[in-house]
Amino acid sequence: MKIDLNEFKNEEIFFFPVRHHSLISSKFVKIAIKEFKPDTILIEGPSDGDHLIENIARSKMPVSIYGNIDNKEIKVGVNFPFFNTSPEYVAIELGFRKKIETKFIDLPVYDIDVVRNHKINFEYSNYISELVRISGLESFDEYYEKYFEIELTGKSIEDYMTQMLTYCSVTRKLSPSNPYNNLRESYMAKKIKEYKKKRTLVITGGFHSVILPNLINKEIEIDDRRRKVLTKDNKNYLIPYNVQNISSLNGYGAGIYYPYYYKILLKNGLNPRDTFVELLTKYSKKAKKQVPISKIISALDLAYGLASLREKKLPGVYELFDGALSAFTEFNQYIDTNRILKDFKMYLIGDEYGRVYDISNLPPIVEDFRNQLLKNKFTKPNSIYTLNVFNNRSAYKRSVFLNKLSYLEIEFAQKVKGIDLFNIDIDEYLTQTYKMASKEKVMPSVIEVAFLGESIDMAVESKLQLKIKESHALSEAVSCLKDCVVLQVESMTDEIINTIKSIMMLENNIFEITAAFNEITKTAYYYETFGNKHDDKLDDLVNEIYTKLMVSFQTLEELRIEDEAKLSDSINDIYSFINRSKNENIDRLLFVETLKILLYERWTTSLKGISLSILYIMGILKEEEMIATIKNNFVLSETQLNGTTLFLSYLLLNNYQILLSNNRFLTILNKFVEDLHTEDFFKMLPNFRKIFTKLRPVETIRLSKDIAKLNDTSENPLVKFDISEEEFLRNRDIEILSLKRLKQRGIYYE
């Protein structure tokens, strides 16, 4: 394909194609500005972000234009990042220093389609995989590095333009039409016509550059209803960013894989030799690897040799990987080369954070976060704080604030130990101990949730609103209520309760109802522990879910054994809740009635075991009835053996003292074990072990004696074995001799 550069450059306008964050594009942007001497620079970027251009020019990279979109249809934050190697940043910085008018010309951040369709077309054409395959390279990024970043080094701006436009023209012809791209390009063309002065440099992604010269010569009409620009209340901010998010390894489609590598390459004037030496030396110090200079020289030689074999003019980052492996590994079969390479790649991504020159334009949530830290007295970075949440109301409120941050995934505080407000367990350590980070370290994650609201509290409420909107299962909706109560978002309580009730009317799955009841009881327990006043609405909701659950148990059909065991655990949890709950309106008789139905229906495994156990503990069943039921459920049938084990397990779950207090039960159990085939006994042995783990040593000894008495076992070892005294003495002598020989070899058995 032949490219006529005159279509893209004349005395009035210069359409300059780039790839976002590309080092070679940045280099030729500088040359284009120097040679073309534009009066105006127009850049592919959000057109409602013009007021941020000077701030970008004066900030430390990376930074990002952050668009906060908030309306009934969508609530999201959108980033448009800049890095040292971004051609857009190079143009902005040079334009600022040279006092050249600089503007953005792309769709506003607030266009909904920006959020839904924000894809970079440069590498998404149909023939990319074939290009990479024919070239014998591993990926498109290596292909781009070889044929653009490396091959164009030392070439003229005309060579760069020809190669970039040829590639993008072919890509465009082989890519499907995209209405959203057409909209963006029409909008950019209209902006170019508005701003066009005597000499205008237009910097856009190459995919768009190939079409723009023709578009500006046509009449352009844009349907504002199609554009869907959102409300005037939305705002743009310039925020500090980090290289991890610039990296395409983080899923950022327009990113570069190894930002720090390209930054150092830029600093060293695109000289790979100096760059490799600097990076290998710095990494060896950081990783505390004593690498002699001779190995670094060998790594350089290897990189240049591999580049030659791969028909590259100069080595790139992929040759650096091979050089690093040769420098940092020994000839040892146990060296984990994958781990070494992974760590080195992470080093080449970097860990830098940018710094915004003018911080007055940061999102309001940043200021609220700082004020909240002062209010809650979390002012010492990297410190340890202990909060007595049960006895100190102020400490409890501080804990709620830290939980709000965690809910928003702002990792400011790490709980080292102590109770979890979302899952209260009185057996846990009642105070909380937190280790704090510095506010500077977590500031990017604070900004990431700025689209949710202007304060931490507003952001929590917005996130909860989104969560309840996406909740379709009963347990999900109840989980939202727990979040609402724990995080003290009282304004949403009624809305969430109504949502739960509407979902519950249609729910018939007992496992879903059980999960919901488990969540709602945690919420109720939390409210009983920390609530300022009693909440009848919460009690009423607990009662409704409880009633629905009991009815579901009463009408339960046959289940798999493992599913029955899950429901048996739930029955036990319900029993615990009823015992500790202060809810006077809970229908405890309904629970008893449900257990009786489960006990006398066809259930023969865990459900019958847990029902029998609880009814006996509650004094509903007499001992005679309990023993009769137990006797009928110890079945030796092969098909029911597993069920019998589960019956026993759940019978003793809360009532293991029956082993010590009732010889009639022990007699039944002893007879059952005695009648078992040896093979069946060993199958059941692991479950028997679990059953008896609750016994204390003294109780185990007592139980052993009771079992020995039942089996009439004396202390005389000859009674236990059907052998003669002569055989017994001979075996004893063999044992003594064996222990003696082992002792001679240094092996001791007491």
Side-chain angles (χ1 to χ4, degrees):
M1 176 180 287
K2 188 173 181 180
I3 296 294
D4 183 2
L5 294 184
N6 291 324
E7 291 182 18
F8 299 91
K9 180 183 178 185
N10 55 49
E11 290 185 0
E12 292 185 354
I13 192 162
F14 187 176
F15 291 94
F16 191 83
V18 300
R19 187 193 185 200
H20 303 294
H21 310 305
S22 166
L23 196 54
I24 200 69
S25 293
S26 298
K27 173 188 174 180
F28 283 109
V29 159
K30 289 181 182 178
I31 294 172
I33 293 173
K34 180 180 179 181
E35 294 183 355
F36 188 66
K37 295 181 173 58
D39 299 313
T40 304
I41 300 174
L42 303 180
I43 298 171
E44 179 188 331
S47 56
D48 50 353
D50 284 347
H51 63 290
L52 301 172
I53 286 176
E54 181 179 343
N55 201 1
I56 294 170
R58 304 177 76 165
S59 295
K60 177 182 177 293
M61 296 298 106
V63 296
S64 178
I65 293 176
Y66 178 84
N68 183 352
I69 297 176
D70 183 7
N71 79 340
K72 291 181 180 178
E73 188 173 352
I74 194 166
K75 184 187 286 284
V76 73
V78 185
N79 276 296
F80 292 82
F82 300 88
F83 189 50
N84 302 73
T85 64
S86 305
E88 297 89 348
Y89 165 69
V90 170
I92 288 170
E93 197 274 334
L94 264 176
F96 174 72
R97 282 198 286 115
K98 293 179 178 290
K99 296 182 172 54
I100 303 171
E101 180 185 40
T102 305
K103 299 287 184 180
F104 289 129
I105 57 170
D106 203 351
L107 286 172
V109 166
Y110 309 132
D111 193 288
I112 292 178
D113 288 320
V114 172
V115 181
R116 292 178 175 160
N117 302 289
H118 188 57
K119 293 189 183 293
I120 306 304
N121 296 90
F122 193 93
E123 60 185 89
Y124 290 97
S125 64
N126 295 327
Y127 80 115
I128 285 298
S129 57
E130 186 65 14
L131 277 177
V132 174
R133 187 189 68 79
I134 292 172
S135 66
L137 302 173
E138 293 295 322
S139 64
F140 170 79
D141 285 275
E142 187 176 4
Y143 173 88
Y144 180 81
E145 183 190 60
K146 176 180 178 179
Y147 291 104
F148 288 87
E149 301 287 0
I150 294 175
E151 294 297 325
L152 289 172
T153 302
K155 296 290 184 71
S156 68
I157 192 170
E158 288 76 18
D159 292 329
Y160 167 83
M161 292 278 293
T162 300
Q163 189 156 320
M164 181 67 77
L165 290 169
T166 300
Y167 173 81
C168 292
S169 295
V170 175
T171 301
R172 181 150 196 134
K173 286 187 176 182
L174 296 176
S175 297
S177 178
N178 185 326
Y180 173 65
N181 274 332
N182 299 338
L183 172 66
R184 289 182 63 198
E185 287 158 356
S186 296
Y187 186 86
M188 285 192 277
K190 188 175 181 181
K191 283 290 182 182
I192 292 167
K193 294 175 77 169
E194 289 176 9
Y195 286 118
K196 186 179 175 185
K197 295 192 176 180
K198 187 174 182 182
R199 295 180 71 80
T200 304
L201 177 64
V202 180
I203 299 171
T204 62
F207 191 87
H208 308 301
S209 298
V210 296
I211 200 72
L212 287 173
N214 289 328
L215 275 180
I216 66 165
N217 294 319
K218 297 178 180 179
E219 288 295 323
I220 301 169
E221 291 185 9
I222 297 177
D223 185 350
D224 281 341
R225 288 176 301 175
R226 171 67 182 85
R227 237 183 82 224
K228 299 178 183 175
V229 178
L230 302 186
T231 69
K232 63 181 180 180
D233 296 329
N234 295 310
K235 294 180 180 179
N236 278 343
Y237 305 96
L238 189 68
I239 63 171
Y241 214 56
N242 59 68
V243 290
Q244 284 92 347
N245 285 345
I246 290 285
S247 167
S248 52
L249 289 177
N250 195 46
Y252 170 46
I256 49 177
Y257 270 93
Y258 307 105
Y260 183 62
Y261 165 76
Y262 287 108
K263 179 183 176 182
I264 300 302
L265 187 61
L266 177 65
K267 178 181 78 72
N268 289 321
L270 308 187
N271 184 320
R273 186 175 293 276
D274 293 346
T275 300
F276 285 17
V277 170
E278 180 175 343
L279 289 170
L280 292 172
T281 304
K282 284 182 175 179
Y283 178 73
S284 66
K285 290 179 180 178
K286 181 175 182 176
K288 297 181 180 178
K289 298 178 182 291
Q290 301 299 320
V291 179
I293 191 64
S294 59
K295 292 202 78 172
I296 290 179
I297 293 171
S298 296
L300 276 175
D301 291 340
L302 175 64
Y304 273 84
L306 288 172
S308 178
L309 287 172
R310 293 165 183 168
E311 299 180 343
K312 296 181 181 179
K313 186 166 69 173
L314 291 168
V317 70
Y318 297 91
E319 286 68 48
L320 177 57
F321 295 157
D322 297 309
L325 277 178
S326 71
F328 300 131
T329 57
E330 302 291 340
F331 293 104
N332 186 325
Q333 61 179 321
Y334 300 110
I335 290 291
D336 186 352
T337 54
N338 289 331
R339 168 54 62 183
I340 291 172
L341 187 57
K342 183 179 178 181
D343 290 344
F344 186 64
K345 286 181 177 180
M346 291 302 297
Y347 172 72
L348 295 186
I349 290 174
D351 56 6
E352 292 180 276
Y353 286 87
R355 186 172 63 249
V356 174
Y357 176 77
D358 180 2
I359 64 172
S360 64
N361 197 36
L362 289 173
I365 196 171
V366 173
E367 187 64 24
D368 179 70
F369 173 65
R370 290 169 175 160
N371 291 336
Q372 291 273 27
L373 292 184
L374 289 173
K375 178 183 175 182
N376 287 284
K377 300 178 182 178
F378 295 127
T379 54
K380 298 177 181 177
N382 305 311
S383 297
I384 303 292
Y385 288 86
T386 298
L387 306 176
N388 189 341
V389 293
F390 277 91
N391 298 323
N392 187 310
R393 197 67 188 175
S394 174
Y396 163 67
K397 289 180 178 179
R398 295 169 78 196
S399 176
V400 170
F401 169 68
L402 295 180
N403 275 274
K404 287 179 178 180
L405 296 184
S406 296
Y407 187 72
L408 295 172
E409 298 180 19
I410 299 170
E411 302 301 330
F412 174 70
Q414 178 189 358
K415 187 162 72 68
V416 179
K417 64 178 179 179
I419 203 160
D420 178 4
L421 296 188
F422 284 90
N423 191 18
I424 296 177
D425 184 350
I426 293 299
D427 292 333
E428 287 185 277
Y429 192 61
L430 298 186
T431 60
Q432 294 179 323
T433 302
Y434 284 96
K435 183 178 181 180
M436 307 299 175
S438 66
K439 61 177 180 288
E440 287 75 18
K441 184 176 180 181
V442 300
M443 200 58 71
S445 57
V446 174
I447 294 171
E448 282 294 322
V449 296
F451 71 94
L452 289 171
E454 296 187 354
S455 67
I456 297 296
D457 288 345
M458 289 173 65
V460 168
E461 183 171 341
S462 294
K463 184 171 182 178
L464 189 52
Q465 285 173 340
L466 292 172
K467 185 177 177 181
I468 189 65
K469 187 177 180 180
E470 295 169 359
S471 296
H472 304 293
L474 182 59
S475 58
E476 291 173 348
V478 172
S479 177
C480 289
L481 180 62
K482 185 173 72 171
D483 294 345
C484 178
V485 171
V486 173
L487 300 173
Q488 298 185 343
V489 189
E490 296 177 0
S491 60
M492 290 189 62
T493 305
D494 289 347
E495 176 188 346
I496 296 176
I497 287 177
N498 291 334
T499 301
I500 292 170
K501 288 182 177 181
S502 63
I503 295 175
M504 185 167 60
M505 289 178 63
L506 304 173
E507 184 58 72
N508 294 309
N509 185 304
I510 190 169
F511 294 98
E512 184 61 31
I513 301 169
T514 300
F517 186 75
N518 186 47
E519 287 291 299
I520 198 69
T521 54
K522 289 177 183 176
T523 305
Y525 188 36
Y526 176 89
Y527 204 89
E528 289 173 359
T529 306
F530 293 111
N532 291 319
K533 57 183 179 179
H534 191 73
D535 192 333
D536 291 331
K537 291 180 182 177
L538 185 58
D539 278 355
D540 290 343
L541 184 62
V542 170
N543 291 341
E544 285 188 42
I545 298 179
Y546 166 78
T547 301
K548 178 140 189 156
L549 182 58
M550 291 299 101
V551 172
S552 298
F553 270 112
Q554 290 179 14
T555 56
L556 198 59
E557 296 182 356
E558 192 168 351
L559 296 167
R560 295 181 305 167
I561 280 182
E562 54 268 32
D563 288 336
E564 193 182 329
K566 291 177 186 176
L567 292 181
S568 300
D569 289 328
S570 300
I571 288 280
N572 199 52
D573 292 338
I574 296 167
Y575 174 61
S576 299
F577 167 74
I578 287 175
N579 277 341
R580 75 184 183 203
S581 176
K582 298 176 183 177
N583 186 345
E584 296 179 358
N585 295 323
I586 199 85
D587 190 348
R588 289 163 172 79
L589 289 178
L590 180 60
F591 181 60
V592 171
E593 199 62 37
T594 301
L595 293 181
K596 285 181 178 179
I597 290 173
L598 292 174
L599 181 62
Y600 295 118
E601 288 290 337
R602 50 204 163 113
W603 306 105
T604 58
T605 60
S606 53
L607 276 173
K608 180 163 282 193
I610 193 67
S611 300
L612 181 62
S613 174
I614 293 173
L615 287 172
Y616 179 69
I617 293 170
M618 293 177 74
I620 307 298
L621 280 186
K622 301 300 180 185
E623 184 175 304
E624 288 293 332
E625 192 172 2
M626 181 189 71
I627 293 297
T629 306
I630 291 172
K631 192 171 184 180
N632 292 333
N633 279 276
F634 276 85
V635 183
L636 289 172
S637 164
E638 183 178 346
T639 57
Q640 295 186 22
L641 204 57
N642 191 26
T644 301
T645 309
L646 286 168
F647 169 78
L648 179 61
S649 298
Y650 281 90
L651 173 67
L652 298 175
L653 187 63
N654 301 309
N655 194 25
Y656 71 93
Q657 286 294 331
I658 193 175
L659 288 166
L660 304 170
S661 61
N662 197 306
N663 278 339
R664 295 170 69 188
F665 169 69
L666 196 58
T667 301
I668 296 170
L669 178 59
N670 186 68
K671 179 71 167 58
F672 173 72
V673 173
E674 193 176 72
D675 292 343
L676 277 174
H677 292 297
T678 304
E679 186 177 322
D680 290 336
F681 173 77
F682 281 106
K683 285 181 183 177
M684 295 184 68
L685 188 58
N687 288 316
F688 280 134
R689 284 176 175 166
K690 289 179 185 177
I691 290 168
F692 298 122
T693 51
K694 284 192 175 183
L695 291 173
R696 294 174 295 173
V698 64
E699 292 170 333
T700 303
I701 293 170
R702 178 182 162 187
L703 185 62
S704 299
K705 289 181 178 179
D706 289 343
I707 293 172
K709 188 175 181 181
L710 281 173
N711 290 281
D712 193 25
T713 304
S714 71
E715 295 299 320
N716 185 350
L718 296 182
V719 175
K720 296 181 181 179
F721 305 103
D722 187 19
I723 58 174
S724 65
E725 184 175 355
E726 181 181 341
E727 287 176 307
F728 175 79
L729 293 173
R730 182 166 61 84
N731 289 335
R732 186 191 63 182
D733 292 339
I734 291 172
E735 181 184 15
I736 292 171
L737 181 61
S738 299
L739 290 172
K740 183 179 179 182
R741 294 285 172 83
L742 288 170
K743 190 174 182 180
Q744 290 172 352
R745 297 184 183 185
I747 301 172
Y748 296 87
Y749 284 90
E750 295 297 335

